[in-house]
Structure formats: structure tokens, C-alpha cells
Amino acid sequence: MELALRRGFIWPAFEIYGGAGGFYDYGPMGTALKNRIIEKWRRLYVLGEGFLEVDSPTITPEEVLKASGHVENFVDVMVECKKCGTAFKAVDLVKETASKDIEGLSKEEMNKFMREQLIKCAECGGELGEVFDFNAMFKTTIGPGSKRVGYLRPETAQGIFINFKRLQRLARGKLPFGVVQIGKGYRNEISPRQGMVRLREFTMAEAEVFLDPENPKHPNFERMAGENLRLWLARDQEKGVEKLTEVTAGEAVKQGLTRNELIAYYLALTNVFLQGLGIPPEAIRFREQTKGQRAHYSHETWDAEIFTKRFGWIEVTGIAYRTDYDLSRHIQHSKEDLTVFVDGRKIVCHVVEPSYGIDRPFYCMLEHSYTSDGKRKYLKLRKDLAPVQAGVFPLMSKDGLPEKAGEVQETLKSCGFAVEYDAAGSIGRRYTRADEIGTPYCVTIDHRTLQDGTVTMRDRDTTAQVRVPIQNLPVFLLSLLCDEISFESAGEPVKA
Amino acid sequence: MELALRRGFIWPAFEIYGGAGGFYDYGPMGTALKNRIIEKWRRLYVLGEGFLEVDSPTITPEEVLKASGHVENFVDVMVECKKCGTAFKAVDLVKETASKDIEGLSKEEMNKFMREQLIKCAECGGELGEVFDFNAMFKTTIGPGSKRVGYLRPETAQGIFINFKRLQRLARGKLPFGVVQIGKGYRNEISPRQGMVRLREFTMAEAEVFLDPENPKHPNFERMAGENLRLWLARDQEKGVEKLTEVTAGEAVKQGLTRNELIAYYLALTNVFLQGLGIPPEAIRFREQTKGQRAHYSHETWDAEIFTKRFGWIEVTGIAYRTDYDLSRHIQHSKEDLTVFVDGRKIVCHVVEPSYGIDRPFYCMLEHSYTSDGKRKYLKLRKDLAPVQAGVFPLMSKDGLPEKAGEVQETLKSCGFAVEYDAAGSIGRRYTRADEIGTPYCVTIDHRTLQDGTVTMRDRDTTAQVRVPIQNLPVFLLSLLCDEISFESAGEPVKA
């Protein structure tokens, strides 16, 4: 985190005004990295899987969220200290002070548990009141007066459901069809204390797959059938067993571990996505939510979790079987006909929803890529995701080297590479800086460059160097970033 | 607009619940187009100009917006009907009912004007009350209770100013340096009635250029010095003269039409950007705001305006000289030292801010690209910005043509092109669909394809067709999209 702060990845928002819990700023490196995660996701779902992408407002009139059940159900159970008045999310307080998970318990059960375990205020040790519901949506009013209540959306999904008719027409009636939305979501957390893991404002990438419940199949399931999944089944959790079931997506369907093929497909696709961010397979698992843990709209939910040193396993993606809950509720509340005809049957589509947080995987990537080998600290980010793809350094600030380096920088920029020119400090310090932001390749312009038109290129992970002709740089860099050639084959090796 | 709705560019949000003024959904085509506008802007400012990009929260604690002056000054002057209670923005009501512009008048002057001109309620003809201020920020509370007031940000800029210290360090102290932010902004309009031109939630791309007021120069001004600008000077507006002054950016500086070189540089860069969206030069002008029109923080502001058939000239970009207003206010309110040392002087940086709306240029692009030549309707979008870059059509749904077309689609997709496969209806109808979403090229797979491996490629603007070998498709398509080759040179011409 020190490095993330210092190098401009991320920092607490509103610092000069004392900060505000649950809000972070992405600095220049963080914004670039986050944008690359989003682009990778978009390529996977929109270009690759052919999903339609929409972009709807974050402010949402109350009617929509009454229909979706969020006004009633999107609540956190909170408890206040009778003495100092500090508010806590009951689940968090118990987890912090007694290391117990009371998620999914009823309010009565929570009160009983907290009384029996003598849970006290974490701030002052005072006695706690009874637990009560707090709606976790940010509330506002639309227009002058307080005529129309609105909320900041708790998920992007509703912006898709309420446009079902238009979208289904654009998808030309075929089922299943998928729609995505990437954007901000909000949750007015009671007292967020867990850094980037518990945010009040976050970026989500959600996909809604509309399907015929009588035919919950993926037309290209075989593409994912062989993908290995590590599943933590609800039945094992309920027995208190932390045992993972390792199966392929195809086997998961055969054994009935997932309700249908579509769910297994998106578990597998999520696996592909998270590994594509550079998360190792052994740090990814899929936890099936128990009945008490599921959201009000879900009949089956899997949480993709990533292991982190700092927070343990954290949820980064939820794959929920939302059934016809949302569309049926909107039919009922809006009086619009959102049914479709399939093979002569009039149906309300069911929905499988893979919903991705972007901020948590971002954090996980930083943690997993951080490498310290005693001598060096560097971010071993996947090369295609690094915020800066190449550093360009003049060896010295004289003899025309800065000018030549400037030319190299311009050439690479004009080819679309994210390049950083750096002439400050010793070459060693510049390598250190590049390593710490995960720049995979550094190009140094020296006196030999002026004679024979070659430069040195350095590999972040091995610190090996090769000598490359300037005119080959763009093609080599592109091939290296896509893992199409090995670094050693890119040029004449340089002895350290 | 009919086409924009039908083809999935844009539609009013929350339609099935009766809609909500000032909110729009971007459909699949609209989202793709909007994303391309954002990418183009990002390439220009971040890759091209080397600005740092940050991403800060949309919810902003009140302290920040008190310091920035928005709690006090971000107000719309409104007026209510005494009879039916309908609320209006005074300026809009007078513009609509009396075709007069009262922007910039004091509240007393507005009251006087409305009394004298006998302005009545536009809904019921009833008598109006006195005008009064309405703060146009969406208000909410952070955390449980109403302890901490927050607002949805009215601009992204404050998220940059309050991080000045960190950003200046990351820019390593050089001046001028620039920071951008792309994201949502909000304005709780009183009664928005002008479609996409008056939104309550919008996407902005803002750049803040921090400079030494004693040296307001751009190190590469010569790059933009020759750019032609069409200026509508404040002095001419004050005289009631609608005369444009046409000068180069260099001349504008020499003649003192802009306060300094940096402002002229960003006027020119804005010109480049807007023309790069396909807006013709004669539909772009820069209007200098008169004193009464300027925001509370600005000493000089230019609005880039685009001419539209539907709304006349509309503002799409503001280039404001914010002086040291924001940093000084944050120094005062946060007690943080946001000064820097330059040549032994301790200064508070001044700021030039080019602030771009994204939604309005989007609308302007649709309007300007809409072409109807009697026989055909098509969107003449710039080829590099079209949502879909190539349509792929099997001529018939048999003889293996769909399979072959599927292969072509996969090849193009894997090269990163946005491709749409379409097998529905006659080939003529498919061309029509492609034309209406602005797809520049369509590739048709026919029986000859199976024999000699060639396909036809059709040009959106001319409907000319050439025959191209499949293996050359990716390179030809790329070269065509970048305007590197002419369509005719891409293959053997096909007689219509």
C-alpha cells in the first residue's frame, strides 16, 4: 500500500479535508490500470461474447427501486452504541470483535447472539442497542422541492432490466442474449473500515443473460466445458468443512453442482477473466452462497473469491441466478408487457447475472503482482495490463541523447503505446521507478544509439537487456506485450 | 432522433415508469460511439499531451464544495407559478416564451424584466412569484443518520484540485502540467426540456492545466499556432454584433484576444478535437463569455459551440481561466499548503481549464452525420469512430455461406475489430441497417467466396463495392479505417 500511494495508484479521497471512509481516488497509475481492467472485461464480454453494452444513469427514481425490491431489502443491519452513539454494521462488529460470522441470521438471532457473546461498542466499550435496518442506498431528490425521491443505483442491473423491451428487439429476439453495463454503483456503508474492500462508491461491470427457463443452455458451452473450477459448495460450508471440490465446468453441470449449463459457463468465463488479470489459479475459488447469504432476488449465487494476504479471501464477482424475479416485478409495477414468445410459449425470461467488481480485483492485482526479491521491489503486472508499457530514458542529459530519446518516445506514442519519458536521476533510479509501477520494458538511448541506431531494452522481471535497432522497436514491443516472442529473441544480448 | 431511438443509440431513461426529465440511456450503438469519443479524447490529452489522468468519487463531502464556492454559487435562478406551482428556470422560461436572453442579469433585474414583459406561467398562464436561488447540486448524506452532507459533484475538477499536492509531486514539479478526469457530473436542473442538451446527469472530460502566472506559456505552442479559430468576441456580443473574428491561434495571442498563450493553445486543441469528431469547421465557433455569463471562479471563459439544426448553437466545451481561485480557496479552507516554489518564488498555481461535455458532442455528431439523399439514409460518422466497423453478411443462409461468414467474423474480431454478423432479411435490408448505424464497410460472403476465397466489400458513403481476398481483409480494413488507402485501391471493383 505504501508503494501504491507513493507511485500514484490509489489514495484515500478528500485527504486534505480529513478524508471520508469508503472513498478512494485512483491516481494516474491506478486510473490507467483500472481502465485496462475495464477494457479487458469489455473485450471479453462485448467483443468476445457478443453482449450488448448500455450506459444508463446512476440516479434512479424511487419507483424503479421499489419495483426491484431495493427500497425494502437493500438494507444493512446496524447497531448503535448507547453511550457514544457510534454506528456499526452488526455483521462487521461481530466479525471484528468476536471473529464470528453472523451474516444471514435474522435480526432476533443477531440480538440474541450479541447479548450472549457480550458484544460491546468497539469505540468506547459501551452497551449496544438493538439491531435495526438501515437502507444502504444514497438518497437524493430530483428537481426542486422534494417532489421526486431518487437513489444512487446500488447496481447497474436495473438499468438493463427496465430497458428489456428495447434490448430484446435489438438482439432480434434470440435467446439467450446478454447485455452488459459498466459504471458506478453505490452502497452507503455504515462505517467502512476495510480500505478498498468496503467502498461506498465503486465501479462494477455487470452482465445480464436473458434465457428461456426451459432451455438454460449455452450454444457454445463446449468452449468452456474443460475449464477447471475450484468450488466451495454450500453443503460443505453448512457442515463447516473448508473443502474445495475441483471439477471442470462440464463435470459441474453433469454432477448437478450448478443448476444449469449457463451458470457453469459463466463460472468458467469468470475464471478465465480473473486468471487473465494475473491472479494465480490457486488464489481463486468459487463459493456457493448458503440460503441465508443470498440477496433477495437470487435462487443460486456463486461468489468468485480471491485470496489476499491482507484481507483473506474476498469476493470479487457474484454469479447469481436471478430467475424471473426482476422482470416479473417490473411487469407488475410498471404494467408494461415484458414477456416474449418462444416456440409458441409466452414467457418471462429468467436471468443469470455475472456481476464483477472492478476495484477489488484491482487491489488483488496490486497485491499479487508485488514482488520483492531482497534487492528489488517490482510489480509483476501482466505485460498487457501495465499502466506504462515502456519507459524511454536518455542515458545522459547531453550530447543530443535527450533529443534522440524524445524522438523514440514520439514514435512509440504515435504507434499507440503508453510510454513514459524519464530523464531524472541516475539510470538505476529510473529503473527502480519503472519497476515500481510495473513497466515491463525500458528503452535506454546511449552514445552507441547515435552511431548505429540501436538502443538497449530491459526486461522488468529478469533485468536482462538486449540491444535492438530503433526501427524494430514498435514491432518488438508489440510482440513482447502479446507474448508472441521471447525477450531474448528480440535482439543482441547485453552483458550486465 | 427517430433513427437514434430505433437503432439503439439513445432513448429517454426510465421509460416504462413514465421517464424522468434530463436522464437518458445510451443504447448499444450509443454506448459504443460514446466510448469511442472518450477514447479519442483520452488519446489526445493523455497519450498525446501527456496529461495525468485521475478518477475520484462522484459523491463529494460538503466541505470540499463549500471551499470551491459551489454550495454558495452553483445556483439556478428559478421562479414558481403562484397558481399551479410549476417551477421554471427563469432564464429558460424567458427564452422560451419571450425569446430573450436574461442570463447574467441580477435577480432584481430579472424580476423587473419579467414584470415588464408580462411573463406568465408556460403551463397554465398563471402569475409568477419572485425569482429565487435553487442550489443545483444533488444532495445526499454519507453514512447513517444525517451527520455528513454530501453532494454529487457538479464538475470533476475539484477531485483534481484537492489532490494538487500528490499530483504535483507525480508531475515532478514541472510547470505547466496537466491533469484530466473523465466521468460523471450532475446538475439538478429545475425542469429540463431540451433533450440531450440539458441533462441532469452527464459525462464530462475535464483538463486542469496548472501554470505559473508569470509564465503562462505553452512549451510547444508552435504546434497549434497555425490553427484557424473562429472567435465571437465578448466586445462584439456586447455591441449586439454577431460577427466572427477569424484568426490563427498565434494571431489571437499577438492581438491580445486571449489573455495568454495557454488559453489560445487549448482553444486550438479543442478545435482539433471537435473537427476530429467529424464536425465541419464552419459549424464550430468560440464564444467569449461576457462578464455576467462567467462562472464564479472564472476571469476569462470561451465556449466552444457547435451549430445544430435542432437547437441552434450549443456550448460543448468551456475553456476557463480559473486563476488561483480554486487552489487558494482550498488552502484557506483545508489549511493545507498547496503552494509551490518556482525560481525562488513561492506561488499558488493558476489554472486554465478546458472542460468538455461528452453527451452534447455525441448529439452533434449524430445530427451532423445524418445524411439522407432521397434514396438512402445513413450516418456518415467518421470511420474511426463508428460503433461497428464492419458488417459481415452471408449472402444466403445455406450452402455453407453462414459458416464461412462466421469464420470471417471470428478472424476480424480476433484482430480487435468491432464486427456485426447479420444474416437476417435480404442483403438490401442488411445494408440499410448497417448504413443507419454508420457502419463504414460491409463484407459479403457469397458462392464465389467458397471457390476463390474472395469477398465483396461495400463502402457506406458511395455504395461502391470491391472484391477482396479474405486474407487481406484485416489489413485493408485497418488501412481504410485510418484513411491510409483509398477504397478503390483495396481490390477489384464490382459492377453494381
Side-chain angles (χ1 to χ4, degrees), chain B residues 196-234:
Chain B
M196 288 197 66
V197 169
R198 190 74 70 195
L199 294 179
R200 282 174 164 151
E201 177 172 339
F202 40 86
T203 300
M204 328 173 71
E206 294 192 297
E208 310 300 324
V209 184
F210 296 95
L211 60 121
D212 174 1
E214 293 197 13
N215 186 23
K217 292 198 176 298
H218 194 291
N220 297 308
F221 183 71
E222 76 286 354
R223 279 205 295 232
M224 290 289 153
E227 187 71 19
N228 276 308
L229 301 174
R230 291 153 42 92
L231 308 178
W232 190 14
L233 302 173

Side-chain angles (χ1 to χ4, degrees), chain A residues 5-8 10-21 23-29 31-32 34-35 39 42 46-50 52-61 63-64 67-68 78 80 85-87 134 137-145 147-148 152-153 159 161-163 165-167 170 172 184 186 188-191 200-201 203 223 329-331 333-336 338 410 413 416-424 433, chain B residues 5-8 11-21 23-29 31-32 34-35 39 42-43 46-50 52-61 63-64 67-68 78 80 85-87 134 137-145 147-148 152-153 159 161-163 165-167 170 172 184 186 188-191 200-201 203 223 329-331 333-336 338 410 413 416-424 433:
Chain A
L5 252 118
R6 180 164 46 87
R7 289 300 180 200
I10 193 110
W11 56 72
F14 318 117
E15 273 182 315
I16 66 170
Y17 289 97
F23 295 102
Y24 276 81
D25 287 328
Y26 284 83
M29 290 304 134
T31 304
K34 184 181 172 191
N35 287 342
E39 260 327 295
R42 182 177 274 135
V46 181
L47 273 187
E49 301 284 317
L52 303 174
E53 183 179 354
V54 300
D55 184 14
S56 65
T58 57
I59 295 178
T60 309
E63 305 93 286
V64 176
S68 70
M78 66 179 273
E80 270 182 350
T86 306
F134 168 65
M137 290 193 292
F138 286 97
K139 195 173 184 174
T140 191
T141 51
I142 301 168
K147 285 171 200 158
R148 192 159 192 186
L152 293 181
R153 64 182 179 196
F161 298 137
I162 61 177
N163 285 306
K165 257 169 98 169
R166 286 196 179 276
L167 293 166
L170 291 168
R172 305 208 202 136
K184 287 287 177 79
Y186 300 83
N188 201 355
E189 294 282 354
I190 290 160
S191 53
R200 282 175 164 151
E201 177 171 339
T203 299
R223 279 205 296 233
R329 295 273 297 197
H330 286 302
I331 290 170
H333 284 249
S334 71
K335 314 291 181 215
E336 286 282 334
L338 306 180
E410 285 305 320
K413 268 167 66 171
F417 294 106
V419 188
E420 199 161 82
Y421 179 91
D422 191 353
R433 254 195 304 259
Chain B
L5 252 120
R6 179 163 47 85
R7 289 298 180 203
W11 55 72
F14 318 117
E15 273 181 315
I16 66 169
Y17 289 98
F23 294 102
Y24 275 81
D25 287 328
Y26 283 84
M29 290 304 134
T31 303
K34 183 181 171 191
N35 287 342
E39 260 328 295
R42 181 176 275 135
R43 270 204 305 280
V46 181
L47 274 187
E49 301 285 318
L52 303 174
E53 184 179 353
V54 300
D55 185 14
S56 66
T58 57
I59 295 177
T60 309
E63 305 93 286
V64 176
S68 69
M78 66 179 273
E80 270 181 352
T86 306
F134 167 66
M137 289 193 292
F138 285 97
K139 195 173 185 174
T140 191
T141 51
I142 300 169
K147 285 172 200 158
R148 192 158 192 187
L152 293 180
R153 65 182 178 196
F161 297 138
I162 61 177
N163 286 305
K165 258 169 96 170
R166 286 196 179 274
L167 293 167
L170 290 168
R172 307 209 201 135
K184 288 285 178 80
Y186 300 83
N188 202 357
E189 293 282 353
I190 292 161
S191 53
R200 282 174 164 151
E201 177 172 339
T203 300
R223 279 205 295 232
R329 294 274 296 197
H330 286 301
I331 290 170
H333 284 249
S334 71
K335 316 290 180 213
E336 287 281 334
L338 306 179
E410 284 306 319
K413 267 168 65 173
F417 294 105
V419 187
E420 199 161 83
Y421 178 92
D422 191 353
R433 253 195 307 258

Side-chain angles (χ1 to χ4, degrees), chain B residues 278-410:
Chain B
I279 307 296
E282 65 275 16
I284 301 171
R285 72 179 184 192
F286 292 87
R287 188 175 64 79
E288 184 183 8
Q289 288 193 359
T290 58
K291 196 164 182 304
Q293 293 166 334
R294 289 201 298 263
H296 62 278
Y297 48 72
S298 173
H299 275 214
E300 176 175 338
T301 300
W302 294 85
D303 287 345
E305 299 184 325
I306 296 179
F307 184 76
T308 62
K309 284 189 191 140
R310 184 148 173 228
F311 302 106
W313 287 95
I314 59 173
E315 177 201 343
V316 296
T317 307
I319 293 127
Y321 186 47
R322 296 180 77 133
T323 68
D324 64 350
Y325 174 83
D326 298 276
L327 288 179
S328 289
R329 294 274 296 197
H330 286 301
I331 290 170
Q332 195 186 325
H333 284 249
S334 71
K335 316 290 180 213
E336 287 281 334
D337 180 9
L338 306 179
T339 58
V340 292
F341 273 93
V342 185
D343 305 330
R345 287 174 293 125
K346 186 176 161 184
I347 65 162
V348 177
C349 285
H350 281 217
V351 171
V352 167
E353 175 195 73
S355 169
Y356 297 71
I358 298 296
D359 312 270
R360 287 184 179 185
F362 171 96
Y363 171 78
C364 295
M365 282 172 72
L366 284 187
E367 200 193 87
H368 277 276
S369 67
Y370 180 78
T371 311
S372 173
D373 64 4
K375 282 186 309 216
R376 283 199 311 144
K377 282 185 288 194
Y378 60 102
L379 290 187
K380 206 172 173 171
L381 291 169
R382 270 185 62 117
K383 290 177 282 182
D384 56 335
L385 297 172
V388 176
Q389 295 167 317
V392 176
F393 309 155
L395 186 63
M396 296 181 202
S397 299
K398 58 178 185 183
D399 303 336
L401 297 183
E403 291 72 16
K404 193 72 195 166
E407 282 172 32
V408 171
Q409 179 201 17
E410 284 306 319

Side-chain angles (χ1 to χ4, degrees), chain A residues 112-223:
Chain A
K112 185 158 173 284
F113 181 92
M114 291 171 76
R115 270 196 310 272
E116 287 175 4
Q117 300 288 316
L118 304 171
I119 307 288
K120 301 286 176 204
C121 173
E123 286 297 319
C124 76
E127 204 181 322
L128 298 168
E130 300 275 289
V131 301
F132 61 98
D133 282 342
F134 168 65
N135 191 295
M137 290 193 292
F138 286 97
K139 195 173 184 174
T140 191
T141 51
I142 301 168
S146 304
K147 285 171 200 158
R148 192 159 192 186
V149 172
Y151 297 95
L152 293 181
R153 64 182 179 196
E155 57 175 4
T156 70
Q158 298 304 323
I160 297 174
F161 298 137
I162 61 177
N163 285 306
F164 175 76
K165 257 169 98 169
R166 286 196 179 276
L167 293 166
Q168 195 252 347
R169 209 173 301 138
L170 291 168
R172 305 208 202 136
K174 75 167 197 285
L175 289 181
F177 78 96
V179 184
V180 302
Q181 180 160 201
I182 302 169
K184 287 287 177 79
Y186 300 83
R187 184 180 187 113
N188 201 355
E189 294 282 354
I190 290 160
S191 53
R193 290 152 208 261
Q194 295 165 76
M196 286 197 68
V197 169
R198 191 75 70 196
L199 294 180
R200 282 175 164 151
E201 177 171 339
F202 40 86
T203 299
M204 330 175 69
E206 296 193 298
E208 311 300 325
V209 184
F210 296 96
L211 60 121
D212 174 0
E214 294 198 12
N215 187 22
K217 293 198 176 298
H218 194 289
N220 297 308
F221 183 71
E222 76 286 354
R223 279 205 296 233

